[in-house]
Amino acid sequence: MSTAAMGKRSFGAFLWDYMTTVDHKKIAHLYLAGGGFFFILGGIEALIIRIQLIKPENDFISAGFYNEVITMHGTTMIFLAAMPMMIGLMNAAMPLQIGARDVAFPFLNALSFWLFFFGGILLNISFLTGGAPDAGWTSYASLAMQSPGHGVDYYVVGLQIAGAGTLMGGINFLATIVTMRAPGMTYMRMPLFTWASFVTSILILFAFPPLTINLFLLMFDRMFDTAFFNVALGGNTIIYQHLFWIFGHPEVYILILPFFGLFSDIFSTFSRKRLFGYTAMVFATMLIAFLGFMVWAHHMFTVGLGPVANSIFAVGTMAIAVPTGIKIFNWLLTMWGGQVTINSAMLWALGFIPSFTIGGVTGVMLGSAVADYQYHDTYFVIGHFHYVIVGGSVFGIFAGLHYWWPKMFGRVLNETLGKWTFWLFFIGFHLTFFIQHFLGLMGMPRRYWVFLHDQGLELGNLISSVGAFFMGVGSIIFVFNIIYTAIKGEKAEADPWDGRTLEWTVSSPPPYYNFEQLPLVRGLDPLWIEKMEGDGTVPPGEPLDDVHMPNGSILPFLMGLGFFIAGFGFIYQDGQGSLWYLALYGGLAFAIGCMVVRSLKDDYGYYIPKEELQKALEGEAK
């Protein structure tokens, strides 16, 4: 759908279109918009934290509210901003990269988004109803069990709903990559971003169930007085930590691996060279994912697991540095001798390498069980974590938005504004987090509301807070860039970057069916092969015929709404009156009713006649 056509439609028609869509490209827009909204919320929470810590013994916010803000900042940024924006980029590019017309289960794709969205809204409504979660983003049972009010209940229910959506998304992407690759697109011809999406989806499939189980156990302990984590009744709070980190450490790789793949594509495209060591990069991705499940207890070195367990997890942690190092050298060697173009997307990719490397080095330091007794629960860990997640995932999100914006929206983001965003954010990022390693080594504990005079922590915290505002200004300029581009941006051609992969063979933005005929893939970087050896167009891999497409549906939105209403019932089921039971059973009945309708009502989709596709092909030829 062109931008001009969108402009002519009423807002109501536009809204209905997005509420009922099952098109992976529009669902990508929804994920990016939803993730962007929560990214702004999380950013505001981060600025509140840094204002509170800008000087000693500050009273900008109360201690209780500070606990809520740090909890919601971490939870929002990880579950509601970084992951959805990552899944949005996967939705936008992956089906195009493998030559597919959509994902394997378009209806499920829409349901995934609406569950994430309603889960995130439910979680944030807690601010308006008497207190947000306040037990940290990990919500350890020892704290969460003691937390008064309903804040932690919002955390449990909101993340259950949003997590179910993510799990469905992972299954969907796996099925798509396994079953819907274009003719000739063997596994070892897939772009690195598609490989990374594939491996990440496997991680989601195995990492999210432990989180789901953990949240269920915590929910039952808080709401129904069971004793899984209640030590007085024979429970064990350490089990919560194990289950959380069996999810939590693979989650770090869920957040970073897709961007490893994306940076591989960006370095290759803007160096005008095939990716150096493609096969090694694929196996390094798999090895990182495999080892990611073997190291969860390095978050628990100070718990008292004993020297044998600590040693095993320390060795496993350091082993992950090997496949990561392979990737970094391969990226450098991809650029070596290439015709390197420096633009906004490439700047984010170049900024990522040193930033993420610093995060990796401090990770190996934390992986030493002996030294971790000094680092644990200090600002050293905060510095490390943000170097990995901001220096990896957030830089990757910005790079991916600049790289694929022309493909998604048909306009190229302004380069000057893009570079302003990069330099302000990059400088602010290092100002904010580099100094935090030293604050941690000087003894500043994480999650503290105030620090005192004459502890030597004033200057470091001031620098850190100033850097946070640099990042805030950079983000505001990026939002302005989006608005400016929508109004005045130059229209994008099909292949603005002289690309190498299949997404650059279709118009920008792509037609709703993606490909008139599925492409025939003759090797790695199929478009580049045709540019070098053929006429620059990828040949069709099938005769022109009618194309089957799925119908849109409002049911995913309604299912998400049903679980959202039921969530309030779960949270307030201990209250007086029958209203909350009505919400609980009514919401569940409504959601299950939608599922029954979906199951019993046959929806065969529709066909695009080949005559329409023929006209489109003739138009492209002209």
Side-chain angles (χ1 to χ4, degrees):
M1 186 66 69
S2 73
T3 316
M6 280 165 59
K8 287 172 192 166
R9 287 186 302 169
S10 71
F11 179 71
F14 172 78
L15 197 63
W16 180 255
D17 184 27
Y18 273 89
M19 283 170 67
T20 60
T21 188
V22 295
D23 178 355
H24 73 95
K25 299 177 289 297
K26 287 181 179 168
I27 290 168
H29 300 166
L30 288 169
Y31 265 115
L32 291 170
F37 168 72
F38 287 120
F39 184 82
I40 291 166
L41 275 187
I44 291 167
E45 286 154 1
L47 288 174
I48 291 171
I49 294 166
R50 287 315 323 166
I51 292 169
Q52 170 61 24
L53 293 174
I54 203 164
K55 63 178 187 179
E57 298 186 58
N58 199 358
D59 59 355
F60 178 66
I61 55 173
S62 68
F65 187 60
Y66 183 81
N67 288 344
E68 293 177 22
V69 171
I70 60 164
T71 301
M72 287 301 289
H73 166 69
T75 309
T76 301
M77 284 303 203
I78 288 170
F79 293 104
L80 307 178
M83 283 202 69
M85 294 183 90
M86 169 198 94
I87 292 170
L89 291 172
M90 283 185 188
N91 257 310
M94 183 272 288
L96 292 168
Q97 287 196 330
I98 62 171
R101 290 203 170 93
D102 207 317
V103 293
F105 306 112
F107 182 93
L108 197 67
N109 201 14
L111 181 59
S112 298
F113 168 74
W114 289 113
L115 286 174
F116 140 69
F117 181 74
F118 280 115
I121 294 294
L122 182 69
L123 189 56
N124 278 278
I125 281 176
S126 60
F127 275 121
L128 309 174
T129 57
D134 60 357
W137 81 271
T138 54
S139 202
Y140 275 3
S142 46
L143 279 174
M145 294 289 292
Q146 308 300 324
S147 177
H150 287 291
V152 171
D153 301 329
Y154 275 99
Y155 174 93
V156 167
V157 177
L159 286 190
Q160 288 283 37
I161 295 170
T166 305
L167 189 56
M168 288 175 194
I171 294 166
N172 206 347
F173 290 146
L174 274 178
T176 304
I177 294 169
V178 170
T179 63
M180 296 184 69
R181 301 188 310 282
M185 177 66 79
T186 60
Y187 282 106
M188 293 310 283
R189 288 178 179 175
M190 296 196 310
L192 244 288
F193 180 74
T194 300
W195 257 117
S197 300
F198 181 63
V199 173
T200 301
S201 299
I202 295 170
L203 282 173
I204 288 171
L205 189 63
F206 288 104
F208 266 78
L211 175 71
T212 306
I213 291 163
N214 219 18
L215 291 172
F216 260 117
L217 299 182
L218 183 59
M219 176 174 160
F220 273 71
D221 268 18
R222 276 185 63 91
M223 298 182 188
F224 309 118
D225 296 325
T226 53
F228 297 108
F229 306 128
N230 188 334
V231 179
L233 297 175
N236 186 341
T237 56
I238 302 299
I239 298 297
Y240 180 95
Q241 292 191 36
H242 278 292
L243 282 169
F244 184 87
W245 290 115
I246 287 169
F247 149 79
H249 200 79
E251 167 68 5
V252 176
Y253 294 105
I254 289 168
L255 286 173
I256 198 65
L257 284 179
F259 300 111
F260 282 1
L262 168 61
F263 288 129
S264 301
D265 287 0
I266 288 176
F267 286 128
S268 178
T269 300
F270 294 121
S271 302
R272 292 173 63 84
K273 265 180 72 181
R274 180 179 156 159
L275 183 71
F276 186 91
Y278 171 88
T279 309
M281 292 294 255
V282 170
F283 284 105
T285 305
M286 292 179 181
L287 188 57
I288 288 170
F290 178 74
L291 290 173
F293 275 103
M294 305 290 153
V295 297
W296 78 87
H298 66 207
H299 297 270
M300 302 167 60
F301 279 151
T302 60
V303 162
L305 300 176
V308 175
N310 279 5
S311 302
I312 291 167
F313 283 105
V315 170
T317 303
M318 293 176 192
I320 290 191
V322 176
T324 313
I326 289 170
K327 283 184 169 294
I328 285 168
F329 284 112
N330 282 357
W331 288 322
L332 295 174
L333 288 164
T334 300
M335 290 184 282
W336 184 271
Q339 298 174 342
V340 178
T341 304
I342 305 288
N343 56 22
S344 297
M346 189 64 165
L347 273 177
W348 285 107
L350 291 168
F352 151 80
I353 290 182
S355 306
F356 189 82
T357 304
I358 291 169
V361 169
T362 53
V364 172
M365 291 170 71
L366 285 160
S368 165
V370 181
D372 189 67
Y373 275 82
Q374 177 68 31
Y375 308 138
H376 190 73
D377 269 348
T378 70
Y379 260 74
F380 190 90
V381 179
I382 306 292
H384 155 73
F385 187 77
H386 285 84
Y387 262 85
V388 172
I389 299 300
V390 182
S393 303
V394 177
F395 280 30
I397 287 165
F398 278 119
L401 290 173
H402 275 282
Y403 184 57
W404 280 318
W405 199 268
K407 187 53 60 187
M408 290 189 285
F409 299 104
R411 293 185 182 268
V412 182
L413 284 170
N414 183 280
E415 274 297 310
T416 307
L417 290 172
K419 284 171 180 166
W420 269 100
T421 298
F422 170 76
W423 285 112
L424 281 168
F425 198 96
F426 183 76
I427 292 165
F429 162 70
H430 285 285
L431 274 178
T432 303
F433 298 113
F434 192 73
I435 196 79
Q436 289 184 3
H437 296 100
F438 299 98
L439 288 171
L441 293 175
M442 290 160 72
M444 183 170 170
R446 65 192 292 191
R447 296 179 173 170
Y448 270 37
W449 166 56
V450 291
F451 58 96
L452 304 177
H453 289 281
D454 63 37
Q455 290 182 312
L457 304 174
E458 291 96 332
L459 181 61
N461 274 295
L462 178 63
I463 292 169
S464 190
S465 294
V466 169
F469 281 94
F470 272 76
M471 285 196 280
V473 173
S475 302
I476 290 166
I477 292 174
F478 186 77
V479 173
F480 175 74
N481 194 354
I482 291 171
I483 297 163
Y484 176 84
T485 302
I487 299 166
K488 289 190 172 180
E490 61 171 295
K491 286 202 164 52
E493 53 200 62
D495 183 16
W497 310 129
D498 195 15
R500 311 173 73 84
T501 45
L502 289 177
E503 74 264 38
W504 307 112
T505 62
V506 295
S507 62
S508 301
Y512 61 101
Y513 46 78
N514 290 358
F515 301 92
E516 289 86 5
Q517 295 163 281
L518 295 183
L520 179 67
V521 176
R522 296 202 293 152
L524 180 64
D525 294 345
L527 178 55
W528 194 255
I529 288 174
E530 303 305 334
K531 286 177 180 177
M532 295 297 107
E533 300 173 9
D535 62 356
T537 57
V538 176
E542 62 175 7
L544 191 66
D545 202 357
D546 295 352
V547 168
H548 178 263
M549 296 295 287
N551 285 320
S553 174
I554 192 66
L555 288 175
F557 174 84
L558 295 177
M559 283 185 205
L561 183 62
F563 286 118
F564 174 73
I565 293 165
F568 283 108
F570 273 113
I571 291 164
Y572 290 105
Q573 47 78 37
D574 60 344
Q576 301 301 312
S578 56
L579 185 64
W580 300 115
Y581 284 102
L582 185 66
L584 173 61
Y585 295 117
L588 282 178
F590 183 67
I592 292 166
C594 291
M595 292 180 198
V596 171
V597 170
R598 170 70 181 169
S599 302
L600 299 180
K601 180 173 169 283
D602 290 330
D603 183 357
Y604 297 114
Y606 66 98
Y607 282 90
I608 304 168
K610 63 181 176 186
E611 291 76 23
E612 184 184 329
L613 300 173
Q614 183 65 49
K615 278 184 196 163
L617 279 172
E618 288 164 5
E620 282 174 24
K622 284 175 190 170

